[in-house]
Amino acid sequence: NSFQHHPTMNAPERALSFLLDEDAGEVKVTYTTDTKVSNAGTFRFNKEDHTVGNLLRMQLLRDPSVKFTGYYHPHPLVHYLNFKIQTNSSTVAPVEVLSSAIEDLSNETDHLITAFTDAIDDWKKENESGVMGQF
């Protein structure tokens, strides 16, 4: 069958797109201060794609101290994002607003998990006796 996986096929291993190579010193995030634009910098997120990029971008745009934010994913076969953040003031650094955005998203995720779990528990309580009573 010509559709079987061949170990000698010229394709990168899938795990390389999401697992950091810590043995080679690969880190998740690096930051470079922008020398041309004030209160700005570029973050490089290794092993991330549009899922995380768009989520962070939208969260950062909610922050009134963020003047500009955007990201680009250079190519589908390259597994990193370049993320640019500029703040309104020199008293608030791009690192601070990114950290705050990540913390806010973490709290929102915790809230969603709790609400979902509570809703499932409520549904089970409401439907448990009805299902058992049918048998």
Side-chain angles (χ1 to χ4, degrees):
N1 187 349
S2 63
F3 295 105
Q4 292 177 352
H5 175 72
H6 298 284
T8 58
M9 196 165 102
N10 185 18
E13 190 177 331
R14 287 184 182 162
L16 296 176
S17 67
F18 58 87
L19 294 177
L20 290 174
D21 186 359
E22 293 172 349
D23 294 336
E26 191 172 34
V27 294
K28 190 65 171 177
V29 181
T30 56
Y31 177 69
T32 307
T33 303
D34 196 317
T35 57
K36 296 179 182 176
V37 179
S38 63
N39 312 323
T42 303
F43 295 86
R44 179 176 168 149
F45 287 86
N46 285 314
K47 309 299 184 181
E48 293 299 346
D49 60 14
H50 292 290
T51 304
V52 167
N54 199 40
L55 192 63
L56 278 174
R57 182 183 65 88
M58 294 304 293
Q59 186 66 34
L60 283 161
L61 289 173
R62 292 178 180 177
D63 189 330
S65 61
V66 173
K67 184 174 187 177
F68 170 83
T69 186
Y71 74 93
Y72 66 94
H73 185 205
H75 190 275
L77 294 178
V78 180
H79 305 294
Y80 67 87
L81 298 174
N82 285 322
F83 217 100
K84 180 86 164 190
I85 300 173
Q86 182 182 15
T87 60
N88 292 324
S89 157
S90 61
T91 60
V92 182
V95 173
E96 292 175 49
V97 293
L98 178 64
S99 179
S100 177
I102 292 169
E103 184 68 29
D104 291 345
L105 286 170
S106 176
N107 292 337
E108 284 184 40
T109 303
D110 290 344
H111 174 73
L112 282 171
I113 290 169
T114 301
F116 181 77
T117 304
D118 291 349
I120 294 227
D121 290 344
D122 291 346
W123 183 88
K124 284 179 181 178
K125 286 176 189 170
E126 291 171 7
N127 294 289
E128 193 173 73
S129 62
V131 171
M132 291 300 189
Q134 294 175 4
F135 298 104

